[in-house]
């Protein structure tokens, strides 16, 4: 089996620590018990070598032998093929996990991420109402789904890693107060030992470069 190498920034400011998307990959690798090592790429000087792996100069990317993958969703789906801890074995469960991976990225994160810019003070708060309404609509649709199940595809899977991580950013700004099933779901996911270790490891990685 080829060595798995996760690459993330060497350092980030304190505000995004705990939310940089290499956390999703760390979490998946810990859930699956797959051995891996972490390498760093400069945060301040995103060079040509970085762009060969991640054309948008972001992180993370994962190297699996001679394969280099970027985008957290693509990486998690790849890892799902390597471990039954990350992807249901039955065709229906697998299809549901894949659809919820895409939903987390394309239906929920596309609403939560621009909303978060206003919460961080990166945009004019007075202009936030359309973004508030858009996120609320998505959460209103997600709430009854999560009220009826523990995990999105039957057993815990890569879909839950992505969806829970997307929702964690909303929790950071108390954005799930009116959606108790969504909030409880994030709580179930983030009390898993694999998340706890992944989160602590990311914080330690960036703090070591201060």
């Amino acid at each position: 089996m080829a060595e798995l190498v996760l690459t993330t920034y060497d350092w980030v400011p304190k505000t995004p620590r705990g939310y940089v998307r290499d956390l999703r990959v760390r979490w998946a690798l810990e859930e699956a018990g797959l051995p891996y090592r972490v390498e760093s790429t400069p945060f301040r000087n995103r060079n040509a070598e970085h762009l060969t792996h991640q054309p948008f100069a972001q992180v993370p990317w994962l190297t699996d032998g001679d394969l280099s993958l970027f985008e957290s969703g693509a990486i998690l789906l790849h890892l799902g093929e390597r471990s039954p801890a990350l992807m249901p074995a039955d065709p229906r469960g697998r299809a549901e996990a894949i659809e919820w991976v895409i939903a987390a990225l394309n239906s929920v994160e596309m609403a939560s991420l621009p909303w978060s810019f206003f919460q961080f003070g990166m945009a004019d708060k007075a202009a936030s109402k359309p973004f508030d309404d858009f996120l609320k609509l998505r959460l209103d649709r997600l709430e009854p789904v999560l009220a009826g199940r523990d995990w999105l595809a039957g057993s815990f899977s890569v879909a839950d890693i992505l969806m829970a991580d997307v929702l964690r950013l909303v929790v950071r700004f108390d954005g799930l107060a009116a959606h108790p099933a969504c909030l409880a779901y994030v709580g179930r996911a983030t009390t898993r030992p694999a998340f706890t270790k992944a989160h602590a490891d990311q914080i330690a990685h960036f703090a070591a470069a201060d």
Side-chain angles (χ1 to χ4, degrees), residues 58-69:
Q58 298 172 316
V59 293
W61 69 81
L62 181 77
T63 305
D64 183 355
D66 60 0
L67 177 66
S68 181
L69 282 167

Side-chain angles (χ1 to χ4, degrees), residues 46-59:
R46 305 181 193 186
N47 54 32
E49 172 65 15
H50 188 155
L51 295 175
T52 64
H53 294 280
Q54 220 296 354
F56 302 103
Q58 298 172 316
V59 293

Side-chain angles (χ1 to χ4, degrees), residues 56-117:
F56 302 103
Q58 298 172 316
V59 293
W61 69 81
L62 181 77
T63 305
D64 183 355
D66 60 0
L67 177 66
S68 181
L69 282 167
F70 69 96
E71 289 295 339
S72 60
I75 294 169
L76 292 194
L77 288 172
H78 176 73
L79 292 175
E81 297 300 322
R82 293 189 58 159
S83 173
L86 299 174
M87 184 72 77
D90 64 292
R92 180 180 294 276
R94 184 176 183 278
E96 288 180 348
I98 292 170
E99 72 180 355
W100 280 108
V101 162
I102 295 170
L105 296 170
N106 196 51
S107 293
V108 182
E109 192 166 52
M110 72 175 298
S112 66
L113 191 58
W115 172 86
S116 73
F117 294 155

Side-chain angles (χ1 to χ4, degrees), residues 150-163:
D150 285 341
W151 306 118
L152 289 167
S155 59
F156 183 86
S157 72
V158 289
D160 299 298
I161 291 174
L162 270 169
M163 187 66 80

